[in-house]
Amino acid sequence: MSDSTSSESLAEVRDTPDKPITEPRLYQSRPIAPVATPPPMVSSLHAQLRTDLWQQYPSGVGYFQHRAKGNPNNIIEHYIANPGDITLLPLEEAMQIIDKFGLTAAKLHLIFAAHIMRQEEPWESLFTLEGSDLIKEMGWDKRTDLPASKKLNELAKTAYALGCLAIKATWVEGKHKKGGIRASVDTSRMWNIQIQLTGQQNLEGKIEQPDEVYITVQPGLWTHAFLNKAGYFAKQALYQFGYLAQEILKIDAYHDELALRLALHLTMESRFHTSGSYKVETLLKALLSQTVIDIARSDRRKAYTLMNSWNHTLEVLLKLQRAFQIEFDQETYPEWLRPGSKDRKKRGYFDTLLAAKITIHPPAPIPQLLASKAELKQVQPRLKEAPKPKLTSNEIKEARTAKGWTQAQLAGWLGVSQRYVSMLERGERILAPEMESQIWHLLSISPKKGV
């Protein structure tokens, strides 16, 4: 897909008089939002952040590969496809698209993943986002270098590029009855995306300066099948979630690229790596190519530049309005090596930096929410108990409020959407017995006396 092709395709979208029904903004009352983090979401984000890890098949097709840690035979691969079909592009063309949209596309990818968590049935969901809202969520509302119409056009092009991201999941199910390995292989787009521009048409029937953009999003068909078994587990996997802090989306991709890369990486990692403890080298390897690190080991000037870039990255995260929580290991991360130190660097300082240990937690209250989530996993009911009286919608809401939970938090534990919890609390949904039992335990509801 060439640049001109994408621009022409977008420009030919016609104006329509009716404004579609759109989703509310993510951050209206809280500075964080749940974000879906199943394996395909994580691997596709890494595919956008680490262009150096893309490879090429003998046919020329470019691909990014992720192998499951538990079973390396389970593989997720990502490609860039043509917009009209699922013809996969050669590596060079794929890299041109990823490099052009890069971190902007990664931000939008996470926003889509966060909006998924609001849907009653994410694997069946189809939702529309308003460009003006997305500009605020991306932190572009503070930019003065571009007029509103240019921002909307850039947003539309980025969404269009995300729609070209494809996924192939190969999941090994065991031995085939006829011998060999039984596996499922499913290929689809990561996101199905439709873009609608509104505004004044020029003489060629194009809208060059849109006054609004509407982006309709649907998770690709991988949501039904990437874990096989008729997609049953895939439905549950979309409720694997962490939290996305609003401040992260406001980090400047141009001036603070490494800081944004680290923040995006930690957003996805925090659900799996709740301790937040890393070696600096581990984090740098997740963000940069091994070649960059190796060159810095042998070139004093490159080492000094990379050290300064790392220190600046930590300073950016610490200066956010809702800052990351960073702790330096007293034994391995000396004071003279930390951000802001004016002390002379000792011989071998770069190797010392790589071996240093650091703990980085995302902004509050994310660490507390993740910790409570881990604790609750240990107290889920397993034994069949005597039946309890039916819960009313008011009892659910009162118990949730008393516990200090939001609807989104309760939704995450139940494996449903925030909207579904809202409907339960309004009495618009009937509780299944299994879910009702979960609510009794999660919210520590005591049966009323006399019942």
Side-chain angles (χ1 to χ4, degrees):
M1 180 184 69
S2 67
D3 226 8
S4 60
T5 301
S6 62
S7 299
E8 289 173 5
S9 299
L10 289 171
E12 289 172 359
V13 180
R14 306 292 181 177
D15 189 8
T16 57
D18 298 324
K19 175 181 176 180
I21 298 174
T22 58
E23 293 288 299
R25 291 209 314 270
L26 289 175
Y27 307 104
Q28 296 189 62
S29 58
R30 306 187 76 208
I32 64 170
V35 57
T37 58
M41 292 291 189
V42 176
S43 62
S44 57
L45 181 69
H46 288 162
Q48 296 169 71
L49 296 178
R50 294 297 305 274
T51 56
D52 60 294
L53 296 180
W54 280 66
Q55 303 174 66
Q56 190 174 34
Y57 281 122
S59 64
V61 168
Y63 70 98
F64 178 95
Q65 186 178 92
H66 167 81
R67 290 182 179 269
K69 293 180 180 179
N71 185 350
N73 291 320
N74 293 341
I75 301 170
I76 296 175
E77 291 182 341
H78 293 284
Y79 312 88
I80 301 298
N82 277 320
D85 51 41
I86 207 160
T87 302
L88 307 180
L89 295 183
L91 180 63
E92 185 178 349
E93 292 183 44
M95 288 300 95
Q96 288 176 0
I97 293 173
I98 292 179
D99 287 341
K100 177 175 176 56
F101 296 100
L103 292 175
T104 301
K107 280 186 180 184
L108 194 58
H109 176 77
L110 280 184
I111 290 174
F112 289 173
H115 277 284
I116 272 184
M117 292 299 299
R118 293 178 156 199
Q119 310 307 310
E120 185 172 347
E121 292 187 319
W123 50 92
E124 299 285 0
S125 63
L126 184 76
F127 54 91
T128 300
L129 306 177
E130 189 168 338
S132 297
D133 288 341
L134 287 171
I135 284 174
K136 294 175 182 176
E137 290 177 3
M138 299 271 283
W140 287 4
D141 53 322
K142 306 300 181 185
R143 288 182 60 178
T144 57
D145 58 322
L146 291 177
S149 60
K150 287 277 189 182
K151 294 176 185 177
L152 291 171
N153 261 326
E154 286 301 310
L155 190 62
K157 291 178 182 179
T158 303
Y160 190 80
L162 268 182
C164 295
L165 184 64
I167 175 175
K168 181 173 80 172
T170 303
W171 232 254
V172 174
E173 300 179 10
K175 293 184 178 180
H176 197 277
K177 60 183 180 181
K178 295 183 178 180
I181 300 297
R182 178 179 177 82
S184 62
V185 179
D186 301 282
T187 304
S188 71
R189 293 193 183 278
M190 191 68 200
W191 304 101
N192 297 316
I193 292 175
Q194 179 183 16
I195 299 166
Q196 175 187 333
L197 304 180
T198 65
Q200 185 176 1
Q201 293 181 342
N202 61 19
L203 295 176
E204 297 176 358
K206 300 177 181 178
I207 300 174
E208 294 181 338
Q209 296 182 333
D211 51 40
E212 192 53 87
V213 170
Y214 298 100
I215 301 172
T216 299
V217 183
Q218 181 185 42
L221 294 178
W222 61 268
T223 56
H224 289 269
F226 92 92
L227 284 181
N228 62 57
K229 301 300 182 186
Y232 175 75
F233 294 110
K235 295 181 180 182
Q236 288 189 335
L238 274 189
Y239 289 120
Q240 295 172 353
F241 71 100
Y243 294 92
L244 174 63
Q246 183 179 20
E247 292 297 306
I248 289 174
L249 298 174
K250 296 181 179 179
I251 298 176
D252 190 327
Y254 181 75
H255 295 99
D256 304 315
E257 179 182 337
L258 190 60
L260 179 55
R261 286 179 177 274
L262 179 57
L264 294 174
H265 175 71
L266 292 174
T267 294
M268 285 299 191
E269 279 287 302
S270 59
R271 180 171 74 85
F272 316 99
H273 202 105
T274 54
S275 71
S277 297
Y278 302 88
K279 281 178 61 176
V280 172
E281 184 174 13
T282 301
L283 288 174
L284 286 176
K285 284 182 175 179
L287 307 174
L288 304 170
S289 72
Q290 184 65 49
T291 302
V292 170
I293 298 172
D294 289 342
I295 290 175
R297 285 183 187 272
S298 58
D299 187 317
R300 293 176 58 188
R301 183 176 297 178
K302 296 290 186 182
Y304 188 74
T305 299
L306 184 52
M307 179 196 68
N308 285 340
S309 180
W310 172 252
N311 285 339
H312 176 72
T313 289
L314 298 183
E315 289 172 344
V316 169
L317 299 190
L318 285 167
K319 288 178 181 178
L320 293 176
Q321 186 174 351
R322 291 183 175 273
F324 277 71
Q325 302 165 46
I326 300 177
E327 298 176 14
F328 301 93
D329 182 69
Q330 294 297 324
E331 294 184 6
T332 63
Y333 212 131
E335 293 275 355
W336 53 266
L337 197 53
R338 299 176 190 177
S341 173
K342 303 297 182 183
D343 295 342
R344 184 181 180 85
K345 303 300 178 265
K346 299 181 180 180
R347 183 182 295 275
Y349 70 86
F350 188 70
D351 286 329
T352 301
L353 176 64
L354 293 179
K357 296 178 182 178
I358 188 171
T359 300
I360 308 179
H361 286 299
I366 294 176
Q368 293 82 357
L369 292 171
L370 291 171
S372 65
K373 184 176 180 180
E375 290 170 6
L376 278 171
K377 282 184 179 178
Q378 302 172 12
V379 298
Q380 293 299 310
R382 294 187 177 182
L383 299 176
K384 188 173 182 180
E385 300 177 357
K388 295 182 175 66
K390 289 289 184 181
L391 283 174
T392 66
S393 55
N394 284 337
E395 285 173 335
I396 297 172
K397 183 175 182 179
E398 289 171 3
R400 175 184 60 77
T401 304
K403 199 172 182 71
W405 282 9
T406 64
Q407 289 181 341
Q409 284 174 266
L410 179 57
W413 281 110
L414 295 174
V416 298
S417 67
Q418 179 267 332
R419 182 176 296 177
Y420 185 80
V421 171
S422 176
M423 296 174 79
L424 284 178
E425 293 185 353
R426 295 198 304 268
E428 297 175 4
R429 282 288 185 274
I430 298 175
L431 266 176
E434 193 174 306
M435 185 176 293
E436 187 173 28
S437 177
Q438 281 186 286
I439 293 176
W440 277 103
H441 286 269
L442 288 171
L443 300 182
S444 305
I445 301 174
S446 300
K448 295 181 180 179
K449 292 181 179 180
V451 177

